[in-house]
Amino acid sequence: MTEDQSNGNGYITEAPVERAVLAGVNLPEAWRGGMGGEADLDELARLADTAGAKVLGRIEQGRQRPSPATFLGKGKLEELTELVADTGATMVIFDNELSPAQGRNLEKTLEVKVLDRTELILDIFAGHARTRQAKLQVELAQLEYLLPRLTRLWSHLERQAGGIGTRGPGETQLETDRRLLGRRIARIRSQLKDIAQNRKVQTGRRDQVFTAALIGYTNAGKSTLMNALTDADILAKDQLFATLDATTRRVEIDERRRFLLTDTVGFIRRLPHHLVESFKATLQEVREADLLVHVVDSSSADPAHQIRAVDEVLESVAAGKRPTLMVFNKMDLADGDAVRDRFARDHPQAVFLSALDPAGITDLKNALVGRLMGDETIVTVAVPLDRLQLLSALHRTGSVLEQDFTPDSCVATVRVTDEERNRLLSRDGVREITDQP
Ligand SMILES: Nc1nc2c(ncn2[C@@H]2O[C@H](COP(=O)(O)OP(=O)(O)OP(=O)(O)O)[C@@H](O)[C@H]2O)c(=O)[nH]1
Ligand SMILES: [Mg+2]
């Protein structure tokens, strides 16, 4: 046992606290897409904190392109080596995605564990996965990302078992060879397929009901809003990626107006594509929703940047350009006027609120109901009994809200678009019943 496994009182803490130094290289835009872009060490520090590491220092460098061997330039690498020694760090976390060779070379020089942003995010996902589906999805992403990096991992395990970057696929898997890992990957894929298939059967029934999905940057307040709108009781916590699974609940405004609301995994800029790939099944809920409720943390340093990052992820899962309601949350922590000035014009239907304010929740409900009804109206029609098949399509889509029978007709209250209403009323014998006869 090393001294950092003891909390100072002679008790052994649950997991050793890792001491981390952060490193980021700012690359030109052309290096974006998993490899580069502007480093964001503040966000990396939050990720490190969520994973349970203590951040002791950071270094940053601007470069035209990464050094092929060590990502950082020679001088910066020396500076980093010193920083690691001075702080007694046990690991270095890179904001950029490292190639297997770069990771190996850096570990050799620095003599501590080296993780990149993707591995850190994978580690957080592994720690937060609860359901079988989420666990399998994370394991798949880890295996696929780690496979080419196996030799590096083995050297971690020799030095230290457990800790950040080694959670998830158990040691037993890591000890086996690539061929076995390949088989494991295939098995997980097929298990995930079964789960998705089952879910399809289960949710088939939902097709008739309007569904809205809460989406947005991680920590924006999606689960908090979900809990306020439903009785879901989802863990909402001030950490990144608190939610990984999709949860769906019914929201009932009144007897006529009800819809399903789904809360799901949050997004982040440069979300590792292995994760996006393997979370496709969970994100299916997002793709199938009638309305996306895009929750924004108005108090974040740059809400517009987060909105863009979310849009990018949506596009990559083929859920871009869906009907969307923008919700600017955490207005209690933000400069409200500035946020409205900045976003109200581009998003005229947006709701600005604080999840902690009941009045805001009412505004959100009203906005959702507005969108849910869309251009539909509710009318009451009398349909002759021998022409009941005129209503069958409306029955199928759950648009018949009430029906009553008189000796010669069915009096139905239906939710229809103007077009549907006109078509229905053009049929022989069908007439609209208004309040004033
Ligand atoms: N002050 C304030 N805090 C909020 C508000 N909405 C959410 N929070 C807090 O923000 C943190 C994150 O909220 P969550 O609901 O877990 O966020 P999320 O979008 O579900 O995040 P992930 O599941 O991690 O992607 C929690 O600590 C909430 O209590 C708000 O309107 N005002
Ligand atoms: Mg959540």
Side-chain angles (χ1 to χ4, degrees):
M1 186 195 8
T2 55
E3 60 148 315
D4 58 30
Q5 279 174 288
S6 146
N7 65 4
N9 301 324
Y11 294 107
I12 295 167
T13 50
E14 234 174 72
V17 174
E18 304 232 33
R19 297 186 299 264
V21 167
L22 310 182
V25 176
N26 295 307
L27 297 163
E29 275 294 300
W31 276 94
R32 294 201 53 182
M35 286 296 281
E38 192 91 333
D40 184 348
L41 294 190
D42 285 337
E43 184 165 87
L44 190 66
R46 291 220 53 198
L47 287 165
D49 179 64
T50 296
K54 210 166 142 191
V55 176
L56 299 175
R58 24 170 109 180
I59 64 151
E60 226 169 314
Q61 181 180 37
R63 286 182 69 92
Q64 278 313 321
R65 61 176 62 85
S67 142
T70 55
F71 213 90
L72 287 176
K74 194 158 167 273
K76 263 293 170 208
L77 186 55
E78 275 165 23
E79 200 183 306
L80 179 60
T81 312
E82 262 170 48
L83 188 60
V84 167
D86 289 351
T87 52
T90 54
M91 66 192 297
V92 173
I93 308 174
F94 270 78
D95 195 48
N96 314 80
E97 196 164 298
L98 301 172
S99 74
Q102 286 164 340
R104 256 194 322 273
N105 294 336
L106 283 164
E107 288 201 329
K108 226 188 260 160
T109 310
L110 294 164
E111 298 185 318
V112 290
K113 178 160 62 177
V114 171
L115 233 62
D116 66 16
R117 186 172 179 277
T118 298
E119 288 169 299
L120 182 63
I121 292 176
L122 286 170
D123 188 81
I124 295 171
F125 270 64
H128 290 181
R130 294 285 167 269
T131 61
R132 180 159 168 268
Q133 185 185 28
K135 284 180 182 159
L136 287 170
Q137 286 171 332
V138 178
E139 187 179 346
L140 180 62
Q142 282 189 315
L143 291 175
E144 290 189 327
Y145 190 73
L146 298 182
L147 197 54
R149 294 165 171 79
L150 265 184
T151 38
R152 229 175 97 215
L153 261 171
W154 275 334
S155 66
H156 292 164
L157 289 169
E158 279 156 23
R159 229 176 299 144
Q160 172 189 29
I164 297 175
T166 58
R167 280 181 284 235
E171 278 171 62
T172 44
Q173 266 115 44
L174 294 173
E175 283 153 13
T176 54
D177 63 24
R178 281 161 208 260
R179 195 168 42 85
L180 284 179
L181 279 184
R183 260 192 234 157
R184 174 80 189 138
I185 288 175
R187 217 172 69 224
I188 295 176
R189 282 230 180 88
S190 105
Q191 283 170 330
L192 283 172
K193 221 158 140 193
D194 288 349
I195 294 175
Q197 193 57 39
N198 276 339
R199 198 196 61 92
K200 221 170 177 177
V201 173
Q202 279 166 16
T203 54
R205 274 174 271 121
R206 284 189 199 157
D207 283 352
Q208 305 172 353
V209 188
F210 183 92
T211 48
L214 291 158
I215 54 139
Y217 213 77
T218 181
N219 207 49
K222 300 175 295 295
S223 301
T224 309
L225 288 170
M226 175 81 177
N227 289 337
L229 290 164
T230 70
D231 59 356
D233 202 17
I234 295 167
L235 174 76
K237 223 173 149 182
D238 194 15
Q239 58 167 221
L240 305 183
F241 303 113
T243 310
L244 292 190
D245 303 299
T247 304
T248 301
R249 289 283 182 280
R250 182 183 287 273
V251 180
E252 201 148 329
I253 308 289
D254 55 41
E255 234 172 87
R256 280 184 180 175
R257 293 169 303 172
R258 51 177 75 138
F259 57 95
L260 295 173
L261 188 64
T262 297
D263 177 35
T264 184
V265 58
F267 300 160
I268 198 165
R269 63 189 204 113
R270 294 191 277 129
L271 190 61
H273 71 264
H274 287 93
L275 271 177
V276 176
E277 265 308 306
S278 58
F279 270 73
K280 279 246 161 90
T282 298
L283 292 170
Q284 185 73 12
E285 310 263 349
V286 171
R287 266 202 303 277
E288 288 169 358
D290 299 293
L291 176 70
L292 300 183
V293 183
H294 183 158
V295 183
V296 182
D297 178 352
S298 314
S299 71
S300 80
D302 190 354
H305 191 84
Q306 297 199 341
I307 293 173
R308 255 198 322 277
V310 169
D311 286 342
E312 272 171 28
V313 179
L314 284 178
E315 247 154 60
S316 73
V317 296
K321 313 233 169 19
R322 307 285 321 251
T324 303
L325 172 69
M326 297 298 292
V327 175
F328 289 84
N329 187 34
K330 301 201 189 180
M331 286 294 277
D332 56 310
L333 301 177
D335 177 348
D337 291 339
V339 172
R340 271 175 222 272
D341 278 356
R342 184 145 176 226
F343 295 106
R345 193 151 25 102
D346 284 348
H347 307 287
Q349 303 192 333
V351 183
F352 296 85
L353 55 67
S354 160
L356 313 180
D357 173 14
I361 301 300
T362 307
D363 288 348
L364 177 55
K365 265 191 193 167
N366 290 338
L368 283 168
V369 170
R371 293 297 290 259
L372 147 81
M373 305 295 290
D375 61 351
E376 293 173 331
T377 47
I378 291 177
V379 292
T380 303
V381 290
V383 178
L385 287 181
D386 58 354
R387 314 216 56 193
L388 281 182
Q389 77 279 6
L390 290 176
L391 292 175
S392 57
L394 293 172
H395 271 294
R396 266 203 307 280
T397 56
S399 305
V400 177
L401 305 170
E402 254 174 48
Q403 63 176 15
D404 234 336
F405 290 92
T406 66
D408 55 0
S409 68
C410 168
V411 177
T413 302
V414 294
R415 186 176 55 211
V416 284
T417 61
D418 281 350
E419 198 195 337
E420 283 172 325
R421 173 173 169 270
N422 293 339
R423 199 167 45 219
L424 193 58
L425 291 175
S426 71
R427 300 308 182 93
D428 277 349
V430 179
R431 60 196 166 85
E432 182 165 358
I433 300 188
T434 49
D435 287 344
Q436 291 94 26

